[in-house]
Amino acid sequence: MNMLRANEKSRRKSVNVSVREDIVTEAKKLKLNLSEITEAALLEAVRASTFERWKTDNAKAIAAHNRRVDKEGALLDGFRTF
């Protein structure tokens, strides 16, 4: 899984996006950095989508692990102090 990091100093790519005009106007009035905000939102969407895909791809293994833990307990149960 490719782990993207915030604030990574990577090459930037110019892209064209369409955003509601009223939102852009307000953002500019507030001196918000549209590129930073767009990049952060896109990064979060990519992370969330990647995680959802990982959960789907690994659902059978996770279910099998949970069944084993339900049946046999966690590997370190004997060492718990709580």
Side-chain angles (χ1 to χ4, degrees):
M1 183 180 336
N2 183 11
M3 296 303 295
L4 298 173
R5 286 171 264 170
N7 299 322
E8 187 167 301
K9 299 295 181 199
S10 300
R11 286 182 16 172
R12 299 297 193 250
K13 175 157 180 69
S14 294
V15 296
N16 292 321
V17 296
S18 297
V19 180
R20 284 181 19 202
E21 187 174 353
D22 57 332
I23 296 172
V24 173
T25 300
E26 288 302 312
K28 285 184 177 184
K29 283 181 190 175
L30 296 168
K31 296 184 179 2
L32 298 176
N33 185 321
L34 299 178
S35 294
E36 280 183 11
I37 293 168
T38 303
E39 187 172 292
L42 189 55
L43 178 59
E44 182 57 34
V46 167
R47 285 178 174 164
S49 182
T50 300
F51 180 61
E52 289 303 317
R53 180 179 293 169
W54 181 89
K55 287 193 310 185
T56 299
D57 291 348
N58 292 283
K60 287 181 182 177
I62 293 167
H65 171 75
N66 288 337
R67 284 191 302 274
R68 187 198 60 76
V69 170
D70 288 344
K71 181 180 176 185
E72 301 172 16
L75 293 173
L76 299 176
D77 276 348
F79 296 100
R80 286 187 181 175
T81 59
F82 54 92

